[in-house]
Amino acid sequence: MPNTEQEAARFLMQATLGSNYDTIQQVKNQGISNWLEQQLNNNYDASDSFHTKVKQLWRGESGNKGFRELLKSQHGETAINGEGNNPALPYKYYFRMAWWHRTLAKGTNSPDLANDPITETARVSAKEADDKDLLRHRIAQALSEILVVSDNSILELDSEGLGSFYDILYRNALGSYKTLLKEVTMHPCMGVYLSHMNNVKGDKSKNIHPDENYAREIMQLFSIGLFELEKNGERKKNLANQDIPTYDNNDIKQLARVFTGLKSNKYSYEWPSAKVGDDGAKITFGDIEGKSISLGDGVSKTFKMVPYVDMVSTMTLDDAFHDKDSKSLLKGRISLAAGNTAQQDIDQAVEGLVGHPSTAPFICRKLIQQLVTSNPTPEYIHAVAEKFGAAGDLKAAVRETLLYPQSNPVTKKTDSSATDGTEKLKSPLLRVTQILRAFGVNNDSHRMWVIGESVKQALSQHPLSSPTVFNFYKPDFVPHGKLEQADKVAPEFELHNSSTSIAYVNMIYDWLLGGALPLVSTTTNSKSDIKNVPELDPDKLLARSADKLKLNLTKELELAADVAKHDELIDRVSLILCGKTNLTIKPNIKDAFKNYDVTSPEQRLWIVQTVIFMVAISPDFVVLEA
């Protein structure tokens, strides 16, 4: 059944990282339900990988040199192999470049690097392939803010690991949460970030205790939460009408014993010929390069960590260092037999956590908050949690999350004077991806390798770059004022402060009217004393005309040329960015460019830029309505 333009546009703001006018028309004509079902049932393409894109950037492909080879050619291996202070490693920038390139090329009519130079036939086929996974990309990004690892850690040294971790989220975005959580648990990035890599069983005689970090966070953040929940997300109460904790300190200690005996797959360093080490005891890394790791092999712990280990392959298990005694936690809900292998313990513990009655409502509330509204009704949470089930059916949960608002009230009013409550503040990241994707951002080099630093600095948000495991904002955050008085939460407002709110306006102004869209880097750093990273200097990057990003404003410029079509121009931009037309600020927008000369190509561009800028900083854009 067809939908209206506004219904399709609002839905796509929830279900994608941003859509353009053509996609809105497609969903309007095809119908939201039909489009969603098609997206849900598209098979995962194993070649469509973030890790693959990072490898293309760092290691090169098909005769094209990657940054690793460019740096080596420019400086010589001995200058960048780590014997000095600053080795050339696949730093965080390469994951960011890969993430932005794939995000901006997906479904925006922008050519992908794989087809360079690109023919018209390749362009069409690439677009068809890109359009099919718009939903998967959005869900992966949402999951990255639930199952958190961050490059604000030693992980900044390994983009290949970050790309591999993001692939877990992308691959399992519409699959089983049980499978997803198992893979996340066993990935070396999570093992490093929450410190269960190299975790060994306790030994009281040596005062050795299992690391409790991951055991705590897998319960608190990735599964059952702090308090027992009803299926509708409301907290269960004991006889004294008090909240019931889901776990205690003993549960953490028991679960920490499960995650013992995990290690990285093998030793692996970018420059095996380098002599590296600490405490004055240098070794030639090639002596252990590629060898399987043993937790008792006598090699220093320094070399069982980034950047000296394989951060892509699943962690392996060493039963000699695993606690094989019986374990019981969560009031006996998880009971693990003595003699279990490490893999058996981990599999059974994760399955028990996902199947816990509190996990479905806890995770589904977070999913709804990411995609649709900050304050879902208990009925909404219950409906999604039912679909999620004991095994964590993400496809069914995502379908219900996105379709439930089509026919049901999704938020509650606490009183007649309260705000409607169907809204959520868009995160800074979603605002910028929507703007860039809405107008088909592209460049002449077909390499949209955005380094992401300006976005992160201005808005305090970037994929896989949160300040802590608790994400960029807490799901129960609420600013003081009317929202607090109405007993509502507004998580994204934790990022919206006097600094970031002004920085956002200034950044969008610079993008649209200052000719300074996000910076793309395709070459090595030009400073003689910086030999290990891509070019990061803004002036140098802006001067590279082939790499400079630009918006495709062909249709908007056509409308700007005719004064009689200026209302249509504003409504078109409003529809794409806000999901509605006839904004209350339309007279203000028209007044802002009333003196521009439509016969001047330069001033026609100013008209379009002014319209997009004023819509992009308006409450109608930054607040998403369910």
Side-chain angles (χ1 to χ4, degrees):
M1 177 180 176
N3 290 93
T4 67
E5 284 184 332
Q6 297 191 22
E7 288 170 340
R10 283 199 302 273
F11 172 78
L12 285 167
M13 289 178 200
Q14 300 164 357
T16 74
L17 291 171
S19 61
N20 55 26
Y21 186 82
D22 289 346
T23 307
I24 292 170
Q25 298 306 312
Q26 176 192 344
V27 174
K28 181 196 78 169
N29 295 328
Q30 185 176 354
I32 286 172
S33 297
N34 292 334
W35 182 89
L36 177 61
E37 206 58 35
Q38 191 175 68
Q39 292 279 316
L40 287 168
N41 290 302
N42 284 328
N43 293 325
Y44 168 71
D45 179 359
S47 67
D48 187 22
S49 159
F50 287 84
H51 178 222
T52 297
K53 186 62 69 176
V54 174
K55 284 199 299 182
Q56 288 176 357
L57 286 161
W58 176 241
R59 302 194 183 279
E61 181 185 65
S62 302
N64 295 318
K65 289 183 178 180
F67 276 90
R68 185 184 191 277
E69 186 62 30
L70 291 173
L71 291 166
K72 180 180 175 180
S73 300
Q74 183 174 347
H75 302 294
E77 182 174 325
T78 57
I80 60 173
N81 67 6
E83 293 187 24
N85 293 325
N86 295 300
L89 298 172
Y91 291 113
K92 60 187 177 184
Y93 306 110
Y94 304 105
F95 169 74
R96 294 179 179 182
M97 292 175 183
W99 191 90
W100 281 104
H101 180 89
R102 299 185 74 251
T103 297
L104 297 180
K106 289 282 175 180
T108 59
N109 295 320
S110 296
D112 188 71
L113 177 63
N115 300 295
D116 181 24
I118 193 166
T119 65
E120 191 60 35
T121 301
R123 188 187 307 274
V124 172
S125 62
K127 183 180 186 302
E128 289 173 350
D130 290 343
D131 278 348
K132 74 183 182 65
D133 284 321
L134 297 181
L135 175 66
R136 185 181 294 276
H137 276 267
R138 176 67 180 96
I139 304 306
Q141 184 275 324
L143 289 170
S144 77
E145 297 193 13
I146 297 172
L147 299 162
V148 173
V149 302
S150 174
D151 64 19
N152 271 320
S153 69
I154 197 173
L155 294 179
E156 71 173 351
L157 304 181
D158 202 314
S159 274
E160 290 198 54
L162 293 172
S164 170
F165 181 85
Y166 204 88
D167 277 338
I168 292 177
L169 308 179
Y170 186 65
R171 181 172 62 249
N172 293 293
L174 304 174
S176 160
Y177 191 75
K178 185 186 296 182
T179 300
L180 172 60
L181 191 55
K182 284 183 182 180
E183 291 190 24
V184 162
T185 297
M186 296 300 294
H187 196 278
C189 279
M190 185 60 79
V192 167
Y193 190 60
L194 291 183
S195 58
H196 58 295
M197 179 190 282
N198 304 326
N199 195 20
V200 298
K201 64 184 178 182
D203 185 339
K204 290 184 179 179
S205 67
K206 297 180 181 179
N207 199 30
I208 295 174
H209 304 277
D211 188 291
E212 298 176 359
N213 201 16
Y214 188 67
R216 180 184 303 106
E217 306 307 355
I218 193 176
M219 291 192 289
Q220 180 179 351
L221 300 175
F222 304 163
S223 59
I224 61 179
L226 289 172
F227 299 103
E228 291 189 15
L229 302 175
E230 303 286 358
K231 184 66 71 70
N232 65 6
E234 295 184 343
R235 292 180 183 178
K236 292 182 178 180
K237 303 292 184 179
N238 61 19
L239 294 177
N241 200 36
Q242 298 170 325
D243 297 332
I244 305 171
T246 48
Y247 63 90
D248 58 23
N249 199 49
N250 182 64
D251 292 318
I252 296 173
K253 291 182 180 298
Q254 291 288 308
L255 191 55
R257 295 168 54 214
V258 169
F259 302 114
T260 53
L262 291 96
K263 60 184 182 180
S264 183
N265 187 286
K266 61 180 179 292
Y267 296 102
S268 181
Y269 182 57
E270 286 300 320
W271 312 101
S273 62
K275 294 182 178 180
V276 297
D278 54 5
D279 300 327
K282 291 198 172 186
I283 66 168
T284 300
F285 200 83
D287 294 343
I288 56 174
E289 172 76 15
K291 292 184 178 179
S292 296
I293 292 174
S294 169
L295 294 177
D297 61 10
V299 178
S300 168
K301 290 182 179 179
T302 300
F303 302 108
K304 291 186 172 73
M305 184 54 62
V306 184
Y308 305 113
V309 295
D310 181 349
M311 290 299 293
V312 172
S313 301
T314 299
M315 287 192 291
T316 56
L317 299 163
D318 191 338
D319 281 330
F321 291 87
H322 177 66
D323 187 329
K324 293 184 180 180
D325 290 342
S326 63
K327 307 164 188 73
S328 180
L329 61 150
L330 303 183
K331 302 171 185 175
R333 181 176 291 276
I334 296 177
S335 183
L336 306 174
N340 270 359
T341 65
Q343 192 66 66
Q344 288 172 326
D345 270 355
I346 291 171
D347 287 347
Q348 292 171 26
V350 171
E351 289 169 7
L353 289 172
V354 174
H356 189 284
S358 293
T359 297
F362 180 73
I363 296 299
C364 289
R365 178 175 182 262
K366 286 188 173 186
L367 192 62
I368 295 168
Q369 286 185 312
Q370 281 285 330
L371 301 179
V372 179
T373 180
S374 298
N375 296 276
T377 61
E379 294 79 11
Y380 191 2
I381 295 172
H382 187 280
V384 179
E386 279 284 335
K387 300 296 184 182
F388 185 89
D393 186 337
L394 283 169
K395 179 188 287 187
V398 168
R399 180 190 290 111
E400 190 69 15
T401 297
L402 293 171
L403 290 185
Y404 187 91
Q406 304 298 314
S407 55
N408 297 280
V410 298
T411 55
K412 59 182 178 180
K413 289 186 177 182
T414 53
D415 59 64
S416 58
S417 64
T419 59
D420 179 67
T422 60
E423 310 90 352
K424 72 184 294 289
L425 184 69
K426 293 177 186 173
S427 72
L429 177 68
L430 289 180
R431 287 179 236 160
V432 299
T433 59
Q434 287 182 8
I435 292 170
L436 295 173
R437 289 176 53 79
F439 303 104
V441 70
N442 64 92
N443 59 14
D444 293 338
S445 71
H446 307 323
R447 291 166 169 84
M448 292 175 281
W449 300 350
V450 175
I451 55 177
E453 199 65 15
S454 61
V455 173
K456 183 177 183 296
Q457 288 180 356
L459 305 178
S460 299
Q461 188 180 24
H462 192 282
L464 298 196
S465 195
S466 69
T468 72
V469 72
F470 294 96
N471 194 31
F472 303 97
Y473 42 83
K474 295 181 287 293
D476 57 354
F477 179 82
V478 57
H480 297 305
K482 290 185 177 180
L483 287 170
E484 184 179 38
Q485 294 164 10
D487 193 29
K488 297 183 184 299
V489 300
E492 288 82 0
F493 270 94
E494 193 164 7
L495 281 180
H496 186 77
N497 52 46
S498 57
S499 174
T500 58
S501 59
I502 295 171
Y504 169 72
V505 174
N506 289 338
M507 186 177 75
I508 300 304
Y509 182 89
D510 288 341
W511 284 11
L512 293 166
L513 296 155
L517 283 160
L519 297 172
V520 166
S521 183
T522 64
T523 187
T524 56
N525 201 287
S526 57
K527 294 183 179 179
S528 60
D529 59 331
I530 300 179
K531 302 176 180 178
N532 59 345
V533 295
E535 180 63 77
L536 303 175
D537 185 276
D539 291 332
K540 299 282 178 59
L541 296 178
L542 286 170
R544 296 180 64 86
S545 58
D547 294 334
K548 196 172 180 180
L549 290 178
K550 54 190 176 183
L551 301 178
N552 181 357
L553 302 174
T554 304
K555 180 61 178 179
E556 287 74 22
L557 288 169
E558 178 185 314
L559 295 173
D562 186 346
V563 174
K565 293 183 177 180
H566 284 177
D567 279 339
E568 184 181 346
L569 168 64
I570 297 171
D571 283 345
R572 177 186 170 92
V573 172
S574 301
L575 173 71
I576 297 170
L577 294 182
C578 307
K580 55 187 175 183
T581 57
N582 291 314
L583 302 185
T584 56
I585 62 168
K586 183 192 282 189
N588 306 89
I589 297 174
K590 292 178 70 174
D591 189 60
F593 62 77
K594 64 182 180 183
N595 294 323
Y596 290 171
D597 180 5
V598 297
T599 66
S600 163
E602 182 181 38
Q603 295 196 32
R604 286 201 297 272
L605 178 59
W606 293 352
I607 291 172
V608 174
Q609 291 168 330
T610 300
V611 172
I612 297 174
F613 170 69
M614 293 188 71
V615 172
I617 65 170
S618 71
D620 295 285
F621 172 64
V622 300
V623 176
L624 173 64
E625 294 185 12

